[in-house]
Amino acid sequence: MLEDSYGNKISTNSADAIASYNQGVHQFLGAEPNVEASFKAAISADPKFTLAHVGLAREMQLRGRSGGVKQSLNKAFETSKNLSAREQSHLSVSSLLLRGKSAEARAAVYEHVKEWPRDVLIAQMCTSVFGLIGFSGLPGREAEQLSFMTNLTPNYGDDWWCKAQLAFAQLEVGQLDEAGINIEEALLSNPNSAHSKHIRAHLYYENLQDEDGLSYLQRHWENYDPSGALYNHISWHVGLWSLETGNLEQMWNVLDKHISPDNSQGPPLNVLTDTAALLFRAELAGVEVTPERWRGLSAYAMTKFANPGLGFADFHAAITHARAGNIEALENIIANAKGPVSDLTKKVARAYLYMQGANWLSASELFTSVVREHARFGGSNAQRDLLDFSLAACLIHQGRTREAKTILAITRPRALQKDIISGLH
Ligand SMILES: [Fe+2]
């Protein structure tokens, strides 16, 4: 029986199929371009290669192509006779994820990795800030993320993917030195992973090294194929640092050409959240944003995220609808937020409604009740700065600037050292 590059036995006799599959897995783990082509090449070499169909379905899900997910998952089940126990479990765990059964999928991943910890595409489901732990909505999910990665680590040796994901979990809880060692080792053994470069960028951000971070990421971003899964989000980091280092011309250029729905090839979740976050962070910094921009993004949010369910998307949509004056869509989120963070989503959406009406006191009360547990939304600290800065802005509007500084000194001290919230200094 042949093995994949992580030593898992695979039910195919085609060496070509395995080679293409390994390439697809490597590209998927590093957000490199051509994942779809590699899994399709594996399928073409062996049409009965179940896990290659699953891999393709995973890529389709990441890209928001639900028709493709269904088709590939059906193919995976059609070819699933005679699988090993590991492959059967791989298919059933993946099926839960691909059908949106997130809580069940998370529990199933935990069971699966006990027996097959090096089944990397299953372990990967519970990693990063958009994974099954990241979006679990559970209190303490950042500690859980670190615990999951720490338990996985002994099984992966010097593997670049594992070291990079461990680094991400570490830096999100403030273990910056440890994260630095692991991400540098990950980048040494695979310099091509966009995920690793992205994690390195987060370390620059948490270390308050904005200029260095911008020049580091810009070098890689300029050589990153726009069809790569992280291109949109890496562009966001470049755009955000452009804003925070005072290069507005570059910020608008990056936003319009590489992040906004008009031009981006990125996953819809990134297109919505990255565009909304950059526009609102610009406004919080005192930069004027035209209503047309917000209206365009509001229309996009209504197309791609019509039904509330994923809190991280919904709170960005709430900002967008509020700023676009699309109160009906905003009220829909307030009334119908669903999922494990719906309690927070409703409060935050209402807070943005209050902000829009210049009801700064009510908005700040709601933000105050949310910020201490906003990690439950998922996403990175850098992304959720939006909520901390929104609270600060509401306090500043009430003349409570000293209070805003005190809170930020505890939550996000980086905001005090930069001129990134209008009126704070
Ligand atoms: Fe990021």
Side-chain angles (χ1 to χ4, degrees):
M1 218 175 187
L2 296 170
E3 292 182 349
D4 69 15
S5 51
Y6 280 84
N8 301 291
K9 292 196 178 352
I10 295 265
S11 300
T12 179
N13 294 318
S14 165
D16 286 348
I18 287 274
S20 294
Y21 178 78
N22 284 337
Q23 190 176 18
V25 170
H26 182 86
Q27 290 163 332
F28 185 86
L29 295 176
E32 290 186 41
N34 301 320
V35 177
E36 180 178 349
S38 295
F39 284 130
K40 280 185 172 169
I43 291 164
S44 156
D46 178 0
K48 293 185 177 169
F49 189 173
T50 305
L51 266 52
H53 289 290
V54 174
L56 183 56
R58 294 285 307 280
E59 174 68 1
M60 296 294 101
Q61 185 184 47
L62 181 66
R63 302 294 181 154
R65 287 158 59 181
S66 54
V69 174
K70 207 173 281 181
Q71 198 177 10
S72 292
L73 190 56
N74 286 342
K75 285 277 182 199
F77 277 109
E78 281 168 24
T79 57
S80 65
K81 286 177 201 145
N82 306 320
L83 294 179
S84 66
R86 197 272 305 180
E87 290 167 312
Q88 277 170 1
S89 178
H90 184 113
L91 174 58
S92 74
V93 177
S94 301
S95 171
L96 289 170
L97 176 85
L98 294 165
R99 289 182 291 119
K101 309 274 184 199
S102 301
E104 293 93 329
R106 191 176 67 252
V109 171
Y110 281 27
E111 284 305 308
H112 186 96
V113 298
K114 277 185 202 163
E115 194 149 359
W116 302 287
R118 283 180 63 83
D119 198 348
V120 69
L121 285 188
I122 299 298
Q124 183 274 344
M125 293 176 184
C126 276
T127 60
S128 200
V129 295
F130 278 10
L132 288 170
I133 294 174
F135 282 154
S136 66
L138 296 172
R141 66 98 186 162
E142 290 168 304
E144 180 62 22
Q145 185 70 76
L146 181 55
S147 165
F148 180 83
M149 282 315 305
T150 305
N151 288 336
L152 215 51
T153 300
N155 302 290
Y156 278 83
D158 286 334
D159 178 72
W160 62 270
W161 168 81
C162 188
K163 280 185 183 290
Q165 290 304 327
L166 176 62
F168 207 0
Q170 288 170 326
L171 76 87
E172 287 292 294
V173 297
Q175 296 181 5
L176 303 184
D177 292 343
E178 294 88 337
I181 293 165
N182 284 317
I183 196 59
E184 290 301 340
E185 288 180 359
L187 281 162
L188 267 179
S189 60
N190 176 16
N192 296 322
S193 164
H195 276 300
S196 298
K197 293 171 206 171
H198 169 235
I199 291 162
R200 183 69 187 87
H202 272 271
L203 188 62
Y204 276 112
Y205 185 92
E206 295 300 326
N207 276 323
L208 309 178
Q209 296 169 317
D210 291 349
E211 282 81 7
D212 291 348
L214 178 57
S215 81
Y216 167 82
L217 200 58
Q218 209 160 357
R219 277 198 310 279
H220 293 296
W221 174 67
E222 283 162 4
N223 295 310
Y224 186 23
D225 188 320
S227 68
L230 260 190
Y231 184 83
N232 196 99
H233 184 64
I234 283 188
S235 302
W236 176 76
H237 280 276
V238 172
L240 186 64
W241 268 327
S242 302
L243 167 71
E244 296 193 347
T245 55
N247 190 345
L248 290 184
E249 192 185 337
Q250 178 165 279
M251 182 202 79
W252 288 120
N253 185 43
V254 172
L255 181 82
D256 288 336
K257 291 190 181 154
H258 306 282
I259 305 175
S260 78
D262 298 336
N263 291 313
S264 177
Q265 307 171 40
L269 178 60
N270 290 118
V271 174
L272 169 64
T273 59
D274 291 335
T275 309
L278 187 52
L279 288 176
F280 202 63
R281 292 277 288 263
E283 287 194 333
L284 290 172
V287 176
E288 192 181 337
V289 175
T290 62
E292 289 75 33
R293 286 183 180 276
W294 285 117
R295 283 199 283 269
L297 189 60
S298 174
Y300 178 80
M302 289 185 69
T303 307
K304 299 289 183 183
F305 298 91
N307 301 312
L310 180 60
F312 190 77
D314 296 336
F315 95 71
H316 285 85
I319 295 171
T320 304
H321 296 321
R323 299 301 294 136
N326 187 352
I327 303 305
E328 195 179 327
L330 182 54
E331 296 279 11
N332 180 45
I333 295 172
I334 295 169
N336 299 311
K338 294 200 170 48
V341 291
S342 59
D343 55 327
L344 300 185
T345 306
K346 290 180 182 196
K347 286 182 187 177
V348 167
R350 190 175 288 283
Y352 285 113
L353 179 64
Y354 285 141
M355 265 185 105
Q356 188 63 14
N359 187 346
W360 309 113
L361 174 61
S362 298
S364 64
E365 285 172 353
L366 280 173
F367 281 126
T368 302
S369 73
V370 164
V371 288
R372 64 179 169 270
E373 55 176 338
H374 67 38
R376 287 177 51 214
F377 272 120
S380 63
N381 284 316
Q383 289 174 306
R384 283 177 283 100
D385 276 350
L386 194 56
L387 296 168
D388 296 288
F389 296 1
S390 294
L391 168 60
C394 292
L395 294 172
I396 292 164
H397 275 286
Q398 297 168 65
R400 297 160 65 186
T401 306
R402 188 191 297 265
E403 202 178 327
K405 285 181 180 172
T406 304
I407 293 170
L408 286 170
I410 298 164
T411 55
R412 294 304 271 165
R414 74 185 306 280
L416 298 174
Q417 296 172 34
K418 311 272 168 186
D419 196 13
I420 51 179
I421 305 175
S422 178
L424 188 66
H425 296 291

